[in-house]
Coordinates of all heavy atoms in Angstrom, one line a residue:
H8 N -112.0 5.6 19.5 CA -111.9 6.4 20.6 C -112.0 5.5 21.9 O -113.0 5.5 22.6 CB -112.9 7.5 20.7 CG -112.5 8.6 21.7 ND1 -113.4 9.6 22.1 CD2 -111.4 8.8 22.4 CE1 -112.9 10.3 23.0 NE2 -111.7 9.9 23.2
E9 N -111.1 4.6 22.1 CA -111.2 3.7 23.2 C -111.2 4.3 24.6 O -111.9 3.8 25.5 CB -109.9 2.8 23.1 CG -110.0 1.7 24.1 CD -108.8 0.7 23.9 OE1 -107.6 1.2 23.9 OE2 -109.1 -0.5 23.8
G10 N -110.4 5.4 24.8 CA -110.5 6.1 26.1 C -111.5 7.1 26.3 O -111.3 8.0 27.2
G11 N -112.5 7.1 25.4 CA -113.6 8.0 25.6 C -115.0 7.5 25.3 O -115.3 6.6 25.9
D12 N -115.6 8.0 24.2 CA -117.0 7.6 23.9 C -117.1 6.4 23.1 O -118.1 6.0 22.7 CB -117.8 8.8 23.3 CG -117.3 9.1 21.9 OD1 -116.1 8.7 21.5 OD2 -118.0 9.9 21.2
R13 N -115.9 5.8 22.8 CA -115.8 4.5 22.0 C -116.4 4.6 20.6 O -116.9 3.7 19.9 CB -116.5 3.3 22.7 CG -115.9 3.2 24.2 CD -116.4 2.0 24.9 NE -116.0 0.8 24.3 CZ -114.9 0.2 24.4 NH1 -113.8 0.8 25.0 NH2 -114.6 -1.0 23.8
S14 N -116.3 5.8 20.1 CA -116.6 6.2 18.6 C -115.6 5.7 17.7 O -114.4 5.7 18.0 CB -117.1 7.5 18.5 OG -116.0 8.4 18.8
W15 N -116.0 5.5 16.5 CA -115.2 5.3 15.3 C -115.1 6.4 14.5 O -116.1 7.0 14.1 CB -115.7 4.0 14.4 CG -115.6 2.7 15.1 CD1 -116.5 2.2 16.1 CD2 -114.7 1.7 14.9 NE1 -116.1 0.9 16.4 CE2 -115.0 0.6 15.8 CE3 -113.5 1.6 14.1 CZ2 -114.3 -0.7 15.7 CZ3 -112.8 0.4 14.1 CH2 -113.2 -0.6 14.9
L16 N -113.9 6.8 14.1 CA -113.5 8.1 13.5 C -112.8 7.8 12.2 O -111.9 6.9 12.1 CB -112.8 9.1 14.2 CG -113.4 9.5 15.6 CD1 -112.6 10.5 16.3 CD2 -114.8 10.1 15.4
V17 N -113.1 8.6 11.1 CA -112.2 8.6 9.9 C -111.5 9.9 10.0 O -112.0 11.0 10.0 CB -113.0 8.6 8.6 CG1 -112.0 8.7 7.4 CG2 -113.7 7.1 8.5
V18 N -110.1 9.9 10.2 CA -109.3 11.0 10.3 C -108.4 11.1 9.0 O -107.7 10.2 8.6 CB -108.3 10.8 11.6 CG1 -107.2 11.9 11.7 CG2 -109.0 10.6 12.8
T19 N -108.4 12.3 8.4 CA -107.7 12.6 7.3 C -106.4 13.2 7.7 O -106.4 14.3 8.4 CB -108.3 13.5 6.3 OG1 -109.6 12.9 5.9 CG2 -107.6 13.7 5.0
R20 N -105.2 12.6 7.5 CA -103.9 13.0 8.1 C -102.8 12.8 7.1 O -102.8 11.9 6.3 CB -103.6 12.1 9.3 CG -102.4 12.4 10.1 CD -102.0 11.5 11.3 NE -101.8 10.2 10.8 CZ -100.6 9.6 10.6 NH1 -99.6 10.4 10.6 NH2 -100.5 8.4 10.2
D21 N -102.0 13.9 7.1 CA -100.8 13.8 6.2 C -99.7 13.0 6.9 O -99.3 13.3 8.0 CB -100.3 15.1 5.9 CG -99.3 15.2 4.9 OD1 -98.3 14.4 5.0 OD2 -99.4 16.0 3.9
T22 N -99.3 11.9 6.3 CA -98.4 11.0 6.9 C -97.0 11.6 7.0 O -96.1 11.1 7.8 CB -98.3 9.7 6.2 OG1 -97.9 9.8 4.9 CG2 -99.6 8.9 6.3
T23 N -96.6 12.6 6.3 CA -95.3 13.2 6.4 C -95.3 14.4 7.4 O -94.1 14.5 7.9 CB -94.9 13.8 5.0 OG1 -95.8 14.8 4.5 CG2 -94.8 12.7 3.9
T24 N -96.3 15.0 7.7 CA -96.4 16.1 8.7 C -97.2 15.8 9.8 O -97.1 16.5 10.9 CB -96.8 17.4 8.0 OG1 -98.2 17.3 7.6 CG2 -95.9 17.8 6.8
H25 N -98.0 14.8 9.8 CA -99.0 14.5 10.9 C -100.1 15.5 11.0 O -100.8 15.4 12.0 CB -98.3 14.2 12.2 CG -97.5 13.0 12.2 ND1 -97.9 11.7 11.9 CD2 -96.1 12.9 12.3 CE1 -96.9 10.9 11.9 NE2 -95.8 11.6 12.1
E26 N -100.2 16.4 10.1 CA -101.3 17.4 10.1 C -102.5 16.7 9.8 O -102.8 16.0 8.8 CB -101.0 18.6 9.1 CG -102.2 19.5 9.0 CD -102.0 20.5 7.9 OE1 -101.1 20.3 7.0 OE2 -102.9 21.5 7.9
I27 N -103.6 17.0 10.7 CA -104.9 16.5 10.5 C -105.7 17.5 9.9 O -105.9 18.6 10.4 CB -105.5 16.0 11.9 CG1 -104.7 14.8 12.5 CG2 -106.9 15.7 11.8 CD1 -105.1 14.5 13.8
T28 N -106.3 17.1 8.8 CA -107.2 18.2 8.0 C -108.7 17.9 8.2 O -109.5 18.8 7.8 CB -106.8 18.2 6.5 OG1 -106.9 16.9 6.0 CG2 -105.3 18.7 6.4
A29 N -109.1 16.7 8.6 CA -110.6 16.4 8.7 C -110.7 15.2 9.7 O -109.9 14.4 9.7 CB -111.1 16.0 7.4
V30 N -111.8 15.3 10.5 CA -112.2 14.2 11.4 C -113.8 14.0 11.2 O -114.5 15.0 11.3 CB -111.9 14.5 12.8 CG1 -112.3 13.3 13.7 CG2 -110.4 14.8 13.0
E31 N -114.2 12.8 10.8 CA -115.6 12.5 10.7 C -115.9 11.2 11.4 O -115.1 10.4 11.6 CB -115.9 12.3 9.2 CG -115.6 13.4 8.3 CD -115.6 13.0 6.8 OE1 -116.8 13.1 6.3 OE2 -114.7 12.6 6.3
F32 N -117.2 11.1 11.8 CA -117.6 9.8 12.3 C -117.5 8.8 11.2 O -118.0 9.0 10.1 CB -119.0 9.9 12.9 CG -119.2 10.6 14.2 CD1 -119.7 11.7 14.3 CD2 -118.5 10.0 15.4 CE1 -119.8 12.5 15.6 CE2 -118.6 10.7 16.5 CZ -119.2 11.8 16.7
A33 N -117.1 7.6 11.5 CA -117.0 6.5 10.4 C -118.4 6.1 9.9 O -118.5 5.9 8.7 CB -116.4 5.3 11.0
R34 N -119.4 6.2 10.7 CA -120.7 5.8 10.3 C -121.2 6.9 9.3 O -121.9 6.5 8.3 CB -121.7 5.8 11.4 CG -122.0 7.2 12.1 CD -123.2 7.2 13.2 NE -123.3 8.5 13.7 CZ -123.0 8.9 14.8 NH1 -122.3 8.1 15.6 NH2 -123.2 10.1 15.1
D35 N -120.9 8.1 9.4 CA -121.2 9.2 8.4 C -120.5 8.9 7.1 O -121.1 9.1 6.0 CB -121.0 10.6 8.9 CG -121.7 10.8 10.2 OD1 -122.9 10.2 10.4 OD2 -121.4 11.9 10.9
V36 N -119.3 8.6 7.1 CA -118.6 8.3 6.0 C -119.1 7.0 5.2 O -119.3 7.0 4.0 CB -117.0 8.0 6.3 CG1 -116.3 7.5 5.0 CG2 -116.4 9.2 6.7
A37 N -119.5 6.0 6.0 CA -120.0 4.7 5.3 C -121.4 5.1 4.8 O -121.7 4.6 3.7 CB -120.2 3.7 6.4
R38 N -122.2 5.9 5.4 CA -123.5 6.3 4.8 C -123.4 7.1 3.5 O -124.2 6.9 2.6 CB -124.3 7.1 5.9 CG -124.9 6.2 6.9 CD -125.6 7.1 8.0 NE -126.2 6.2 9.0 CZ -126.3 6.6 10.2 NH1 -126.0 7.9 10.6 NH2 -126.7 5.8 11.2
K39 N -122.3 8.1 3.5 CA -122.1 8.7 2.2 C -121.7 7.8 1.1 O -122.0 8.1 0.0 CB -120.9 9.8 2.4 CG -121.3 10.9 3.3 CD -120.1 11.8 3.4 CE -120.3 12.9 4.6 NZ -119.1 13.6 4.9
Q40 N -121.1 6.7 1.4 CA -120.7 5.7 0.4 C -121.7 4.7 0.1 O -121.5 3.7 -0.6 CB -119.4 5.0 0.9 CG -118.2 5.9 1.1 CD -117.0 5.2 1.6 OE1 -117.1 4.1 2.0 NE2 -115.9 5.9 1.7

């Protein structure tokens, strides 16, 4: 998020429709892993 709070996000997106089904902070995804 360069034009905002400079956060890193993991976005789950369908590449054929561009539908976004989930957005999470990357730090939370990394911690879960």
Side-chain angles (χ1 to χ4, degrees):
H8 194 195
E9 184 176 54
D12 68 345
R13 305 188 64 76
S14 59
W15 290 79
L16 303 176
V17 173
V18 176
T19 304
R20 180 179 68 89
D21 189 309
T22 59
T23 58
T24 65
H25 297 295
E26 177 187 9
I27 295 174
T28 56
V30 180
E31 306 169 80
F32 286 113
R34 68 170 182 256
D35 296 339
V36 172
R38 284 181 182 144
K39 287 179 195 173
Q40 295 174 355

